[in-house]
Amino acid sequence: MTSLPTFNPSLNERHNANAIRILAMDAVQKANSGHPGAPMGMADIAEVVWREFLNHNPKNAKWANRDRFVLSNGHGSMLLYALLHLSGYDLTIDDIKNFRQLHAKTAGHPEHGYADGIETTTGPLGQGIANAVGFALAEKTLAGQFNKPDNAIIDHYTYCFLGDGCLMEGVSHEACSLAGTLGLGKLIAYYDDNGISIDGEVEGWFSDDTAKRFESYNWQVLRVDGHDADAIREATLQAKAETNKPTLIICKTVIGLGSPNKQGKEDSHGAPLGNDEIALTRTELGWANNNPFEIADEIYQAWNACDKGNKLESDWNAQFADYQAKYPSEADELQRRLSGELPSDFDAKADEFIKACQAKGDTIATRKASQNAIGAFAPLLPEVLGGSADLAGSNLTLWSGAKGVQDHADGNYVHYGVREFGMTAIANGVALHGGFIPYTATFLMFMEYARNAVRMSALMKQRVINVYTHDSIGLGEDGPTHQPVEQIASLRQTPNHFTWRPCDTVETAVAWKVALQTANAPSSLILSRQNLAHQDRTDEQVALIEKGAYVLAKEQGDLQAIIIATGSEVDLAMQAHKVLSEQGVGVRVVSMPCAEIFVKQDRDYIESVLPSDVRARVAVEAGITDYWYKFVGLDGKVIGMTTFGESAPAKDLFNHFGITTDKVVEAVKSLV
């Protein structure tokens, strides 16, 4: 039997950590699925961090000033579930036994919203540490906006566990580089340096000098034996003492620690240990109880954080009462923002701006209309924390009141640099933290770099607003590398995500208003580089924009055909409407800035816009055509893109690809 590596926690510390190992291997074995190795290897680190340093309250998982904990190597989810269970959260031993089963709180990877204490959904490696950067950014910025010299009402840490896989993923480079640049001193990351991935020993494919890498990012880097409680404790204290840099603590660990035949090997990474090996492991760990899932009362008592957490929150509540007495308006604003509620007058003021846009009737690019909307809405919503992956001068996300967080403690704008994936994953962390509504920005084509983080926003039901400009072949000469074709359809197919492609200043303002009000889903605003004509509307039509689609131009006489369009192609549809109406064809134009919202409307409204007995339908959009057959049917026609673009002026491209008024007219007449 292989002996355990030398490590020096006290008998109690070791026994407390072993409770994590027991629960992890038992749950994975019962499910016959999962990853026991990481929880077993990181148990000693977790025991020190959670029992000695983490400020949290199991009886109120949403306490505003709690420390945040992120398990970036989310495949080791049983580590988090064991910690929550042992600490006193509403996660029972039956929940542990139900690991990886249908509708369980204990899903295969930590899922935000499934159980108290799960701060973010992790599993796609690297995004957890990026979320942690977002948590730390939100804490620092919220503190800058609300703390007073005599009362630091926002004051907490973000602790993150991560593994080799997280560090191999490029998103960790993007996020951690920015974290060092911004000096996020309350971010402490523990790297599980066990040298093993599913394929085996990582030295064959991961030979980076991680310490030098993070030192170059402006991080403090410390090294410890990940099974030495004293060393972990001392390193954490050193990390907390460094206030100007985030800290990476490189913890040398043994994966699957305690398993005589599988520790230190890939065999313990992603599969159950097996009943025989579990029995040997219990003996090796000195665990007297051979019954699965049984933890002694004294261990539960040692882990239980409820009394400590209640006192921490009670002390903070007293601190907040003092803050409220001295700074009542700030206290009210902080409470409003942390609740996620918008100001009571926002809706009315937003409608005033939208009405002004309709009256003014500007012919401008929707990217410029978006900047105008930000300039109107952001002063009403100090929780808006914007940013762009470079390109701010092109996607027009900077506004007159923008202040960079790198220069202003109370800033409201992040210069993300060319880091689309990192930016979006960080924004997810900001949204999860609370107190902010983040927006991100890049060209629509480069949404592809951020795609998985956009998906995570939707999966976690987070209010993140993505500004994507240069939305079609209309961007022109930069050519097919920069011209999006299939991206809008991809976004529309994402569950719990709303894709807006407005046609002018009014629809753009409405898109911003609704996106800001949509609390449980992300929104993407797809905006043009080129100027788009203003469309005349009645007040009733303006009000209907929020329904996702509406009749912009009515038919003259009997309704024979319908043209559906979005964005820059709405004006083509309007021009075609004029031509066809003059020729006696009864055609209506439906502007559909957000198809996902439209299909959620009641049947009567959908029928009023798209009568089912009118089969002659044409959709026009400068993107991939396939998506639109759900609205026009197999008998209808779609004018759009079926190939990649070309490099040329926008006007020439629209003519070349047949996205013109004449083609719309021709398509309608062929169906009538």
Side-chain angles (χ1 to χ4, degrees):
M1 186 178 292
T2 305
S3 62
L4 287 171
T6 301
F7 65 156
N8 78 336
S10 69
L11 182 60
N12 286 339
E13 289 170 331
R14 182 183 298 186
H15 219 46
N16 291 333
N18 284 345
I20 297 172
R21 297 183 172 102
I22 295 299
L23 289 173
M25 65 183 186
D26 284 350
V28 171
Q29 187 64 38
K30 184 175 186 297
N32 196 29
S33 175
H35 299 259
M40 296 173 74
M42 297 194 79
D44 298 305
I45 310 167
E47 192 271 339
V48 173
V49 172
W50 273 66
R51 291 190 62 245
E52 298 186 36
F53 290 98
L54 191 72
N55 289 335
H56 63 121
N57 186 2
K59 295 305 179 185
N60 181 10
K62 297 300 184 183
W63 169 38
N65 202 45
R66 69 192 181 279
D67 291 335
R68 270 55 168 187
F69 176 80
V70 177
L71 184 69
S72 187
N73 44 344
H75 55 273
S77 57
M78 265 311 305
L79 174 64
L80 178 56
Y81 300 147
L83 289 165
L84 295 173
H85 170 68
L86 292 167
S87 296
Y89 283 82
D90 183 19
L91 197 77
T92 67
I93 197 66
D94 287 334
D95 292 321
I96 299 292
K97 292 177 181 178
N98 207 28
F99 178 56
R100 287 190 165 223
Q101 304 309 300
L102 183 64
H103 303 314
K105 292 181 179 180
T106 48
H109 293 83
E111 298 283 352
H112 176 70
Y114 279 40
D116 287 348
I118 301 175
E119 298 284 4
T120 180
T121 298
T122 55
L125 293 176
Q127 288 196 64
I129 180 62
N131 294 165
V133 173
F135 282 123
L137 171 62
E139 189 277 341
K140 182 177 181 179
T141 306
L142 200 65
Q145 293 177 358
F146 284 96
N147 284 0
K148 303 296 182 181
D150 64 337
N151 196 323
I153 196 64
I154 301 297
D155 181 14
H156 51 265
Y157 284 83
T158 299
Y159 297 94
C160 180
F161 286 7
L162 69 158
D164 293 302
C166 296
L167 293 176
M168 283 187 259
E169 290 287 359
V171 66
S172 70
H173 163 80
E174 296 182 25
C176 293
S177 169
L178 184 62
T181 299
L182 296 178
L184 301 180
K186 289 185 178 176
L187 172 60
I188 304 174
Y190 299 79
Y191 165 31
D192 181 25
D193 183 15
N194 61 37
I196 297 293
S197 70
I198 287 178
D199 281 356
E201 296 181 6
V202 301
E203 62 184 10
W205 49 87
F206 184 51
S207 59
D208 302 16
D209 189 326
T210 298
K212 288 182 179 178
R213 171 183 163 186
F214 274 77
E215 286 168 355
S216 76
Y217 294 157
N218 193 42
W219 284 55
Q220 174 180 228
V221 178
L222 307 172
R223 293 180 182 270
V224 299
D225 178 345
H227 305 298
D228 183 334
D230 289 340
I232 297 163
R233 183 179 301 111
E234 181 58 36
T236 303
L237 289 169
Q238 194 172 339
K240 295 185 74 170
E242 173 54 75
T243 59
N244 296 316
K245 296 180 180 181
T247 297
L248 178 71
I249 303 176
I250 300 175
C251 304
K252 195 64 182 176
T253 61
V254 177
I255 193 171
L257 181 69
S259 170
N261 299 304
K262 295 186 178 183
Q263 67 178 15
K265 300 177 182 179
E266 63 270 23
D267 294 1
S268 68
H269 189 295
L273 297 181
N275 287 322
D276 291 343
E277 187 68 15
I278 287 175
L280 292 173
T281 302
R282 278 181 153 78
T283 300
E284 186 76 353
L285 294 174
W287 194 263
N289 191 334
N290 291 322
N291 297 322
F293 301 104
E294 287 194 8
I295 306 294
D297 288 343
E298 60 266 24
I299 293 179
Y300 277 122
Q301 291 169 10
W303 270 102
N304 193 296
C306 295
D307 289 344
K308 177 184 174 183
N310 282 331
K311 185 177 188 309
L312 286 168
E313 184 176 358
S314 178
D315 290 346
W316 185 82
N317 288 338
Q319 181 183 354
F320 184 77
D322 179 68
Y323 184 91
Q324 196 169 32
K326 294 178 180 177
Y327 313 105
S329 61
E330 290 93 332
D332 289 348
E333 179 68 1
L334 178 59
Q335 286 182 310
R336 180 192 68 77
R337 285 174 54 172
L338 290 174
S339 75
E341 296 295 326
L342 301 186
S344 58
D345 61 350
F346 174 74
D347 191 80
K349 289 184 176 180
D351 286 345
E352 288 177 11
F353 174 73
I354 293 165
K355 185 176 181 180
C357 289
Q358 181 64 35
K360 191 174 182 182
D362 284 336
T363 293
I364 55 176
T366 49
R367 62 172 175 166
K368 178 60 180 175
S370 170
Q371 185 181 47
N372 293 344
I374 296 171
F377 296 157
L380 306 176
L381 302 172
E383 59 264 47
V384 169
L385 181 63
S388 178
D390 207 52
L391 302 174
S394 294
N395 55 43
L396 303 184
T397 47
L398 280 169
W399 58 287
S400 60
K403 296 193 298 183
V405 297
Q406 73 277 15
D407 298 319
H408 303 275
D410 61 344
N412 58 12
Y413 192 87
V414 185
H415 292 275
Y416 283 103
V418 187
R419 299 181 177 97
E420 294 89 355
F421 193 0
M423 167 184 67
T424 311
I426 289 169
N428 288 345
V430 170
L432 286 160
H433 178 279
F436 291 102
I437 301 174
Y439 71 80
T440 72
T442 186
F443 290 177
L444 177 57
M445 187 66 246
F446 304 128
M447 175 278 298
E448 295 288 2
Y449 286 131
R451 185 70 183 89
N452 198 263
V454 175
R455 182 178 186 271
M456 296 301 288
S457 307
L459 184 64
M460 294 189 288
K461 302 178 181 178
Q462 293 304 300
R463 177 164 41 189
V464 178
I465 301 172
N466 307 301
V467 176
Y468 294 137
T469 67
H470 296 60
D471 66 339
S472 72
I473 58 171
L475 69 89
E477 294 85 346
D478 278 335
T481 61
H482 282 52
Q483 291 167 5
V485 173
E486 72 276 22
Q487 284 66 37
I488 303 176
S490 173
L491 288 169
R492 289 187 179 125
Q493 297 284 13
T494 304
N496 195 47
H497 173 275
F498 297 107
T499 309
W500 286 87
R501 189 170 184 245
C503 74
D504 65 0
T505 60
V506 178
E507 286 190 359
T508 303
V510 172
W512 262 107
K513 175 195 171 187
V514 176
L516 288 163
Q517 292 175 324
T518 303
N520 296 314
S523 302
S524 292
L525 277 55
I526 313 300
L527 307 170
S528 73
R529 175 179 184 260
Q530 71 274 32
N531 290 343
L532 302 185
H534 170 73
Q535 303 299 329
D536 289 328
R537 299 174 186 83
T538 65
D539 290 344
E540 180 183 8
Q541 286 174 309
V542 172
L544 292 174
I545 296 172
E546 293 188 19
K547 292 182 177 290
Y550 62 103
V551 178
L552 179 60
K554 295 181 179 179
E555 61 277 8
Q556 295 183 14
D558 294 335
L559 177 58
Q560 298 172 271
I562 300 171
I563 306 171
I564 307 169
T566 77
S568 51
E569 287 68 68
V570 168
D571 196 55
L572 290 181
M574 292 297 285
Q575 294 174 39
H577 177 271
K578 180 180 179 182
V579 172
L580 289 163
S581 296
E582 290 173 350
Q583 295 177 3
V585 178
V587 61
R588 73 168 49 169
V589 173
V590 172
S591 178
M592 192 177 289
C594 187
E596 302 97 308
I597 288 180
F598 176 63
V599 298
K600 292 179 181 294
Q601 303 305 311
D602 62 67
R603 186 68 248 171
D604 288 345
Y605 182 74
I606 292 174
E607 182 69 16
S608 73
V609 176
L610 298 177
S612 54
D613 60 350
V614 180
R615 309 297 297 171
R617 299 182 183 186
V618 174
V620 53
E621 182 176 67
I624 203 74
T625 58
D626 291 0
Y627 175 83
W628 287 103
Y629 286 100
K630 68 188 291 182
F631 291 106
V632 303
L634 295 179
D635 296 330
K637 292 193 173 183
V638 182
I639 295 172
M641 299 292 294
T642 57
T643 68
F644 294 117
E646 294 285 351
S647 180
K651 182 178 180 181
D652 295 343
L653 290 170
F654 279 103
N655 286 328
H656 173 74
F657 288 107
I659 305 174
T660 64
T661 300
D662 289 345
K663 291 295 184 181
V664 177
V665 170
E666 180 182 315
V668 172
K669 293 177 74 172
S670 72
L671 296 174
V672 172

